[in-house]
Amino acid sequence: MTDALSIARDLVRCRSITPADAGALGVLENLLEAAGFETHRVTFSEAGTADIDNLYARIGREGPHISFAGHTDVVPPGDEAAWTVGAFAGEVKDGLLYGRGTVDMKGGIACSVAAALQYLADHGGKPKGSISFLITGDEEDVAVNGTVKLLQWAAARGEKFDHCVLGEPSNVETLGDCIKIGRRGSQSGTLHVEGIQGHVAYPHRASNPVPDISRLILALSDEPLDHGSAQFQPSNLEFTSVDVGNPASNVIPGQARARFNIRYNDLHTQASLRELVETRLAKATGNRIKARIVWEPSNANVFVTKPGAFTDLAVAAIEGVTGRKPELSTSGGTSDARFISQYCPVIEFGLVGQTMHQVDERTPVSDLEKLTKIYRGILDRYFA
C-alpha cells in the first residue's frame, strides 16, 4: 500500500531509535525503487560515533529538481507502559495514529513519499524534472553522520538541488498555520573565572570567583545582543548552568564555570557574535577579574529562505487544502535545514508538533491525508 497512513504505520513499526535503523530506510527504499527511483544506501562513520545508514533516491535527470528531506530516527519512547497503545505498534485509535515518530517525523516522510508516488502515477511515471529524497537516520542525536555528509556525498556525485522541502513538524496548533523559512544559529560556550582557593575564615588570603562570575553573568546576559531583524526575533544569550566543583562549605573555590547558549539571528555571524561577547566580557572584567570564554564548535549557522516564488507556491498549496494562509516563521531551535540551506533554498513544513517527543505521540489520520494533498499541490505547482 502506498497511501500515507500505510507508509507511516510501516515506518512507526520500525524501532529506529538513534542510531538504530531497524528497517525503516528499507521500507522507503523498496517503495521508491518500485516506482522507478534510483536509490543509494550510504553509510557514514566518524570516530567516537555510531555508523549511520542514509538513503538517497532520485527520479529524473533534468531540472527543476525538488528534494524532500527527513529523518527516520526517533527519540526513545520513555515509559512504554504509559502509552495508550504500543509505542511502536503503529495503531490507529479514534482517528489518531499513535507511535513514536508519528509526528517527528515519519508521518511527514510518509506523506511526501505518497504524494510523489501519486504524482508519478498521474504523469506516466516520470516527473517534469527531478524528484529526490534525502533521508537520514542521524538527526535526533549528534547529527554528524547524516544529512551533512549525505549532502556532501551527493554534491561529489554532481547532484544539484534547486529547492527542498523538509517535513519537520513545523505547525504549532493546527495544520497550515506555519512554514519555517529559516532558523536562528546556535552557539555555546563556557565562561571560566579564576580565583584563589582558601579557607573561608581567611578570605584576605583567597580570591572568591563566585561573586565575580555572578557579576559577569549579569553583565553578559542583561544587555540585549540586538533587537531583532526583518525575518528574525532578537538574539538571546541564556546561561544554563553554574558550577564551582566545590563539595566543602568552608573552602573558597579556586574556579567557577558557567555554561551558556546563544540563539542568534542574521545580524550576526559566529565570528562577529563571539567578538561582541568577548568585548563585553573584557569591559565587565576590567583589570581585576580573570575570566575567559571557551567556545564550543557549532555547525548551527543562521539561515533564511527569502520569501519569493518558492514560498509563494507552498503557501498556495497549503491554503488550497486547509483554507489557512501560513505564517512564514523563523522561530524554534535547529534542524537539518541548516545543512540543506548551504545547497539550495529550503522550507520546513510537516505535521503539528504538539505531541512530538511525548508519551502518546500521535497525529490525526486526516492530517496525514491533508499533508499528502499539500505536498502533491507543491509538486503540481512546482513542475507547472
Side-chain angles (χ1 to χ4, degrees), residues 24 48-49 64 71 118 124 130 139 143 174 181 211 253 278 290 296 303 313 315 333 352:
T49 65
H71 64 90
Q118 290 174 13
S130 298
E139 196 270 351
T174 187
I181 61 167
E278 295 274 10
K290 295 181 179 179
E296 296 180 13
F303 74 91
L313 73 84
V315 168
V352 178

Side-chain angles (χ1 to χ4, degrees), residues 41-82:
R41 291 282 286 274
V42 193
T43 303
F44 298 114
S45 304
E46 189 160 317
T49 65
D51 291 354
I52 297 293
D53 213 7
N54 301 270
L55 174 66
Y56 179 69
R58 176 172 176 167
I59 189 167
R61 300 312 309 171
E62 306 297 326
H65 178 186
I66 185 170
S67 186
F68 290 94
H71 64 90
T72 53
D73 63 314
V74 299
V75 298
D79 181 7
E80 295 194 53

Side-chain angles (χ1 to χ4, degrees), residues 216 219-220 223 276-287 289:
L216 295 181
L220 293 180
E223 185 180 353
L276 173 61
V277 176
E278 295 274 10
T279 299
R280 290 187 178 180
L281 177 65
K283 180 180 179 182
T285 57
N287 295 320
I289 303 175

Side-chain angles (χ1 to χ4, degrees), residues 106-144:
K106 291 178 175 180
I109 293 173
C111 292
S112 62
V113 171
L117 297 183
Q118 290 174 13
Y119 178 88
L120 293 172
D122 292 341
H123 291 82
K126 295 181 180 180
K128 295 180 180 180
S130 298
I131 302 171
S132 66
F133 287 87
L134 287 156
I135 310 296
T136 183
D138 184 32
E139 196 270 351
E140 296 290 7
D141 195 15
V142 291
V144 297

